[in-house]
Amino acid sequence: LDLMIAECNGSVGYYSMGTIGRLAHLLGIPAQKKLVDVLQQLGYTAMRTHLEPQAIKTNAPLPEVLEIVKQL
């Protein structure tokens, strides 16, 4: 329930970690928590989502997310 409440103030839509890894042409995907932490440090809203266990919600543009993931 806490996760759903936190999402109410978050971004619309979400990205699955598998999709992020595939679009970034990575063999593996980074830890979800690590990506969320980095996005938050860069000033974006980012959180896990209740909709899919291995997905994140963020207001960061997808191209930015992909560049960040490639550096993790």
Side-chain angles (χ1 to χ4, degrees), residues 39-55:
L39 288 167
Q40 289 174 344
Q41 289 170 6
L42 292 172
Y44 292 109
T45 301
M47 64 196 73
R48 296 182 311 129
T49 177
H50 77 282
L51 297 171
E52 188 177 328
Q54 285 298 308

Side-chain angles (χ1 to χ4, degrees), residues 18-38:
T19 299
I20 291 171
R22 192 169 49 258
L23 292 174
H25 305 288
L26 301 174
L27 295 177
I29 56 174
Q32 180 187 44
K33 182 176 179 354
K34 178 67 175 170
L35 179 56
V36 168
D37 289 346
V38 170

